[in-house]
Amino acid sequence: MADKRFMLTGAQREALSKVFKFADVEETGYVDVATISTLAVQLLGAQLSDNEKQSITNKAESKAEKGLLSYQSFIDIMMEAMQSMTHWGKLTTPLDGYVGFDTVQEQIRKKSLKRGFEFNLMVVGATGLGKSTMVNTLFKSKISRTTGVPSVIPKTVEVKSVSHVIEEKGVRLKLTLTDTPGFGDQINNDKCWDPILEYINDQYKKYLQEETNINRKARIPDTRVHCCLYFVAPTGHRMKPIDIEFMKRLDKCVNIVPVIAKADNLTLEEREAFRRRIREDIEANKIHIYPMVKRDDLDEEEIRANSRIREALPFAVVGSDRFVTVSGKSVLGRKTKWGLIEVENKNHCEFSQLRDMLIRTHMQDLKEVTNTIHYESFRKVQLTEQQKNRIDLSDISDTQESKI
């Protein structure tokens, strides 16, 4: 329902009335509810997302009588829509001169650069799939120490985190890398995902505790896992049961991005066939992977971009933190008996697509999805349980007092 304190200007009300009258051909004071999304686009602009259009249509249908919507109901719906967005199209108030609020973007940029940025990446996969090398390749730095095959395999899955501050052209990034040695390396891998799930939820608990403190910090340290890179072994067959179980257990609490590790072990034909089988397994088991397409906050351009990325998943990647010379130019790559593999060459592997998504186009979105979807879901459950416990304790106290 629109806030009663929200008032329309004369020009805005006139624009709304003009569009309504145009649709009300027979001048009955009503319009067909099926036309509402079209009218909304005429008023608020073509940048309205499909989800926003659907939301307006749903509200119109709930207020309509026999498929017809009254003028006042139309006004109420449009006012409510205006309150929830900043793109108002024809309803935008024109300026008589330069004001200067276009500098807000630059102000935000300066503040953000001063504070720096945080990004928390988790890597999961069996030993020997090149997780450490891949992280070093992504950030072109010794972020993760390449351990190779350990002499003693951990008896249980361990969760180890290390943080670095890296800087590029004046932009500071605090990068926290979380590794999970021991995952998938046991004879019995039953519930090997539990320590990982516990770690992810512990970070949510820490954040929630800081958030609900009476005297909380001006800036809450964010240790929540923003992305989990899951390394699938290049078997060429299908995903292993452990792969499927892991993703099913954790897809509701973290952004999972599956990758085919050491893709140079497969021919191009084997790679595509393996990718297709992995996608079939993900779809058959209803596993949610990043990026998401069905989200209320995405516009059509973002939906198209996310759809293109999903069609390419899982990325077939090759990692290398060593430089080789190709035609006089130093590039990241691997030399083998059969030739040279250039890590950043799109014809050789899909490392560059993975890097672009994680760092250049979707890093902020990964953080926002973590905050608004995964953390919000955790927060809702926790606060609901706390409230229920308080009510139960109150009932017990009342019962005891009545007995006294």
Side-chain angles (χ1 to χ4, degrees), residues 246-314:
F246 174 86
M247 292 189 193
K248 286 172 68 175
R249 305 274 178 164
L250 274 78
D251 68 348
K252 302 295 190 301
C253 64
V254 69
N255 298 313
I256 297 177
V257 177
V259 297
I260 300 172
K262 294 191 171 181
D264 52 326
N265 288 346
L266 303 171
T267 65
L268 294 178
E269 293 77 11
E270 290 171 340
R271 185 188 299 178
E272 288 307 313
F274 189 35
R275 190 202 316 274
R276 186 179 65 254
R277 295 187 194 107
I278 291 175
R279 289 166 60 88
E280 288 172 356
D281 288 340
I282 289 172
E283 187 174 342
N285 289 278
K286 297 181 180 179
I287 296 169
H288 302 281
I289 59 174
Y290 183 89
M292 303 175 186
V293 176
K294 296 180 180 179
R295 278 168 49 194
D296 294 339
D297 60 332
L298 296 179
D299 58 31
E300 292 181 5
E301 182 180 347
E302 290 170 323
I303 290 173
R304 285 195 297 270
N306 285 356
S307 296
R308 284 195 296 269
I309 292 172
R310 286 183 68 90
E311 288 170 3
L313 288 175

Side-chain angles (χ1 to χ4, degrees), residues 122-132 157-158 178-185 189 192 196 228-233 240 242-243 246 259 261:
M122 174 180 276
V123 291
V124 180
T127 300
L129 289 181
K131 302 187 296 295
S132 299
V157 176
E158 300 175 355
T178 302
D179 198 358
T180 55
F183 178 84
D185 295 334
N189 288 301
C192 63
I196 300 171
C228 173
L229 273 185
Y230 188 81
F231 288 70
V232 180
K240 298 176 182 177
I242 188 175
D243 301 329
F246 174 86
V259 297

Side-chain angles (χ1 to χ4, degrees), residues 83-363:
Q83 284 180 262
S84 64
M85 61 184 69
T86 56
H87 44 266
W88 284 11
K90 293 180 180 178
L91 304 179
T92 302
T93 302
L95 300 176
D96 294 330
Y98 180 72
V99 177
F101 59 81
D102 60 340
T103 62
V104 168
Q105 187 175 1
E106 181 62 19
Q107 294 172 42
I108 294 172
R109 190 185 74 85
K110 287 181 178 179
K111 282 279 187 182
S112 298
L113 287 175
K114 186 177 179 181
R115 287 195 303 263
F117 301 89
E118 296 170 316
F119 188 64
N120 306 319
L121 178 66
M122 174 180 276
V123 291
V124 180
T127 300
L129 289 181
K131 302 187 296 295
S132 299
T133 302
M134 177 54 60
V135 173
N136 291 341
T137 310
L138 278 169
F139 294 96
K140 294 188 176 181
S141 180
K142 301 296 182 182
I143 297 296
S144 179
R145 183 171 60 89
T146 305
T147 57
V149 180
S151 56
V152 178
I153 295 176
K155 292 182 179 179
T156 58
V157 176
E158 300 175 355
V159 180
K160 296 181 178 180
S161 294
V162 60
S163 295
H164 300 265
V165 172
I166 53 181
E167 187 169 344
E168 183 178 49
K169 295 183 179 179
V171 179
R172 290 193 314 278
L173 176 68
K174 181 184 178 184
L175 175 68
T176 298
L177 173 67
T178 302
D179 198 358
T180 55
F183 178 84
D185 295 334
Q186 314 301 321
I187 295 174
N188 181 3
N189 288 301
D190 185 39
K191 296 183 179 179
C192 63
W193 46 79
D194 281 355
I196 300 171
L197 181 60
E198 182 181 356
Y199 175 84
I200 292 171
N201 285 330
D202 280 347
Q203 307 319 304
Y204 288 149
K205 285 178 185 176
K206 288 180 184 178
Y207 196 90
L208 179 60
Q209 186 175 356
E210 287 285 351
E211 195 178 50
T212 53
N213 280 342
I214 295 174
N215 298 315
R216 63 182 183 179
K217 298 174 183 176
R219 188 182 182 194
I220 301 173
D222 189 2
T223 60
R224 298 170 296 180
V225 177
H226 301 131
C227 178
C228 173
L229 273 185
Y230 188 81
F231 288 70
V232 180
T235 63
H237 304 299
R238 286 191 174 275
M239 286 202 298
K240 298 176 182 177
I242 188 175
D243 301 329
I244 295 172
E245 283 302 316
F246 174 86
M247 292 189 193
K248 286 172 68 175
R249 305 274 178 164
L250 274 78
D251 68 348
K252 302 295 190 301
C253 64
V254 69
N255 298 313
I256 297 177
V257 177
V259 297
I260 300 172
K262 294 191 171 181
D264 52 326
N265 288 346
L266 303 171
T267 65
L268 294 178
E269 293 77 11
E270 290 171 340
R271 185 188 299 178
E272 288 307 313
F274 189 35
R275 190 202 316 274
R276 186 179 65 254
R277 295 187 194 107
I278 291 175
R279 289 166 60 88
E280 288 172 356
D281 288 340
I282 289 172
E283 187 174 342
N285 289 278
K286 297 181 180 179
I287 296 169
H288 302 281
I289 59 174
Y290 183 89
M292 303 175 186
V293 176
K294 296 180 180 179
R295 278 168 49 194
D296 294 339
D297 60 332
L298 296 179
D299 58 31
E300 292 181 5
E301 182 180 347
E302 290 170 323
I303 290 173
R304 285 195 297 270
N306 285 356
S307 296
R308 284 195 296 269
I309 292 172
R310 286 183 68 90
E311 288 170 3
L313 288 175
F315 294 123
V317 297
V318 177
S320 175
D321 48 11
R322 296 182 180 181
F323 286 89
V324 294
T325 303
V326 178
S327 302
K329 185 179 178 182
S330 184
V331 298
L332 284 167
R334 295 183 64 226
K335 276 186 177 180
T336 69
K337 293 180 182 179
W338 305 275
L340 179 68
I341 301 165
E342 297 176 46
V343 169
E344 296 178 286
N345 187 330
K346 293 182 179 180
N347 294 321
H348 293 188
C349 73
E350 292 152 9
F351 165 81
S352 57
Q353 288 96 315
L354 173 64
R355 178 202 56 205
D356 289 351
M357 185 197 76
L358 285 181
I359 302 171
R360 301 182 181 181
T361 63
H362 282 67
M363 179 180 282

Side-chain angles (χ1 to χ4, degrees), residues 342-394:
E342 297 176 46
V343 169
E344 296 178 286
N345 187 330
K346 293 182 179 180
N347 294 321
H348 293 188
C349 73
E350 292 152 9
F351 165 81
S352 57
Q353 288 96 315
L354 173 64
R355 178 202 56 205
D356 289 351
M357 185 197 76
L358 285 181
I359 302 171
R360 301 182 181 181
T361 63
H362 282 67
M363 179 180 282
Q364 186 59 34
D365 188 65
L366 281 160
K367 295 172 68 174
E368 288 179 6
V369 171
T370 298
N371 184 55
T372 60
I373 296 179
H374 299 307
Y375 170 68
E376 193 61 31
S377 176
F378 175 87
R379 179 179 176 276
K380 183 178 180 181
V381 171
Q382 292 291 310
L383 294 182
T384 301
E385 288 180 358
Q386 290 177 17
Q387 186 177 21
K388 183 181 177 182
N389 291 337
R390 283 196 295 268
I391 292 172
D392 291 343
L393 288 172
S394 176

